[in-house]
C-alpha cells in the first residue's frame, strides 16, 4: 500500500505539467500522511483543476464520516465491485501529483525499513486516484480521495508486494476524462509500471512520524542488513527460519 508520499512541485510547474486552469497555493511537503488535506486534480464541466481534498475517501452515501473506516487506498482488483469505490471509478477519477512515495520493507527480524521511491528519470508522478464529495445535513461539503494500488512489479517486490498505479502521458488524459472514457476502459489504465521505471533507496525511520516533514526525510541512509532469524530444529540445533 501507499501510506506516505512527498510532493515538492512548485504550483506553476503543476499548472504546466497537468494542464490546469489554475493553480493551488501549496508548499513543498516531504511526509504527507492520511487524513491530511492533499492536492488532487480532476475534471468538472470541461475544466481541469486542482483541489484540496482529505486523504481518506468518504463516499457520498455515508451518514457520518466519523464512523466510517479510513479508506486511503483502493485495490485495483476489487475497486469496480466495492460500493465505496464503484461510483467514483465511473464519475470521480483523479490524479494526485507526487515527487515520490514511501514504502516499508519488513525485514526477517520483523523490523521495518522505509524506502523512498521515485521515477528513474526524475519526473513527477501522477498517482491514479478516486474522489468523492460528501455533503452533510447542514450543507457542509468534504472532498476526499483514495489512491489506487496494484501488484508490485518484480523490481518493487524487493520492497513491498503492492505499489501505487502511476499514470503517464495520454493515460492521464484518459483517466481524467470521465465524460468519454468509461470505467471499464479506465480500469485497464491502472497497471504496474515496467521494471526499471522506478528507483528507490532506504531513508531514515523519522518518516514514521507524521510530525516530521523536512527535506532530510528523502535523503538516502546506510542500513545494516539484519541477521537471519533462526529457530531450533529437531535435536536442538539452530536452522535458518
Amino acid at each position: 500500500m501507499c501510506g506516505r508520499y512527498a510532493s515538492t512541485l512548485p504550483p506553476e510547474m503543476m499548472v504546466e505539467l497537468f494542464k490546469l486552469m489554475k493553480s493551488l497555493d501549496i508548499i513543498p511537503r516531504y511526509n504527507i500522511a492520511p487524513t491530511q488535506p492533499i492536492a488532487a486534480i480532476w475534471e468538472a464541466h470541461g475544466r481541469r483543476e486542482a483541489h484540496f481534498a482529505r486523504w481518506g475517501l468518504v463516499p457520498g452515501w455515508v451518514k457520518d464520516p466519523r464512523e466510517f473506516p479510513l479508506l486511503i487506498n483502493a485495490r485495483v482488483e476489487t475497486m469496480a465491485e466495492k460500493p465505496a469505490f464503484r461510483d467514483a471509478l465511473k464519475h470521480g477519477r483523479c490524479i494526485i501529483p507526487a515527487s515520490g512515495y514511501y514504502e516499508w520493507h519488513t525485514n526477517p527480524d520483523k523490523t521495518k525499513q522505509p524506502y523512498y521511491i521515485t521515477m528513474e528519470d526524475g519526473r513527477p508522478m501522477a498517482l491514479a486516484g478516486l474522489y468523492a464529495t460528501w455533503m452533510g445535513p447542514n450543507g457542509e461539503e468534504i472532498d476526499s480521495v483514495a489512491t489506487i494500488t496494484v501488484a508490485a512489479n518484480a523490481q518493487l517486490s524487493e520492497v513491498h508486494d503492492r505499489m501505487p498505479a502511476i499514470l503517464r502521458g495520454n493515460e492521464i488524459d484518459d483517466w481524467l476524462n470521465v465524460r468519454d472514457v468509461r470505467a471499464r476502459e479506465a480500469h485497464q489504465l491502472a497497471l504496474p509500471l515496467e521494471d526499471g521505471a522506478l528507483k528507490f533507496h532506504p531513508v531514515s525511520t523519522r518518516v514514521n512520524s507524521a510530525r516530521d516533514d523536512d527535506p532530510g526525510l528523502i535523503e538516502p541512509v546506510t542500513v545494516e542488513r539484519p541477521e537471519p532469524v533462526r529457530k531450533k530444529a529437531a535435536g536442538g540445533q539452530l536452522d535458518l527460519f
Side-chain angles (χ1 to χ4, degrees):
M1 62 180 290
C2 173
R4 298 283 178 86
Y5 73 98
S7 184
T8 62
L9 301 178
E12 60 274 12
M13 184 178 293
M14 281 184 56
V15 170
E16 180 178 354
L17 287 176
F18 300 114
K19 307 173 187 176
L20 301 179
M21 298 297 295
K22 62 178 182 179
S23 65
L24 280 180
D25 186 14
I26 57 176
I27 60 173
R29 294 287 312 280
Y30 296 89
N31 193 10
I32 301 172
T35 74
Q36 294 179 351
I38 66 174
I41 296 169
W42 60 76
E43 290 185 358
H45 309 296
R47 295 168 59 91
R48 184 181 296 186
E49 296 181 346
H51 303 262
F52 283 117
R54 174 186 183 266
W55 189 9
L57 190 130
V58 181
W61 44 261
V62 170
K63 292 185 177 181
D64 187 349
R66 294 171 297 183
E67 299 179 357
F68 192 71
L70 183 63
L71 302 178
I72 65 170
N73 296 140
R75 294 176 67 94
V76 71
E77 296 89 348
T78 57
M79 65 181 180
E81 291 79 36
K82 293 282 187 180
F85 305 124
R86 189 169 50 211
D87 288 342
L89 181 60
K90 297 176 183 176
H91 311 295
R93 301 192 297 268
C94 66
I95 60 170
I96 295 96
S99 304
Y101 73 96
Y102 299 96
E103 196 55 84
W104 280 256
H105 174 70
T106 302
N107 295 314
D109 64 355
K110 304 304 180 183
T111 59
K112 292 189 175 183
Q113 172 61 49
Y115 284 78
Y116 185 57
I117 302 166
T118 61
M119 299 295 293
E120 175 64 37
D121 58 12
R123 292 177 180 268
M125 295 176 172
L127 308 182
L130 303 172
Y131 80 91
T133 300
W134 179 84
M135 299 188 67
N138 299 316
E140 65 270 33
E141 293 187 7
I142 300 175
D143 289 330
S144 60
V145 300
T147 55
I148 296 172
T149 67
V150 298
N153 61 24
Q155 178 192 19
L156 265 295
S157 64
E158 299 177 22
V159 177
H160 199 270
D161 62 354
R162 304 291 295 180
M163 64 184 293
I166 301 172
L167 305 174
R168 295 178 292 188
N170 292 335
E171 296 171 346
I172 297 174
D173 298 332
D174 291 341
W175 181 259
L176 295 179
N177 186 359
V178 296
R179 294 169 300 169
D180 304 316
V181 179
R182 297 184 176 182
R184 182 179 301 178
E185 299 168 307
H187 195 284
Q188 303 304 313
L189 300 172
L191 300 169
L193 291 183
E194 70 278 7
D195 289 342
L198 298 168
K199 59 182 178 180
F200 55 87
H201 59 259
V203 294
S204 169
T205 54
R206 288 197 304 117
V207 74
N208 295 347
S209 172
R211 291 175 294 182
D212 288 330
D213 190 349
D214 60 79
L217 295 178
I218 65 175
E219 294 298 323
V221 299
T222 301
V223 297
E224 295 183 7
R225 292 187 177 274
E227 291 294 326
V229 177
R230 297 173 181 268
K231 68 176 182 178
K232 286 189 176 182
Q237 306 219 347
L238 289 173
D239 282 346
L240 288 179
F241 180 69

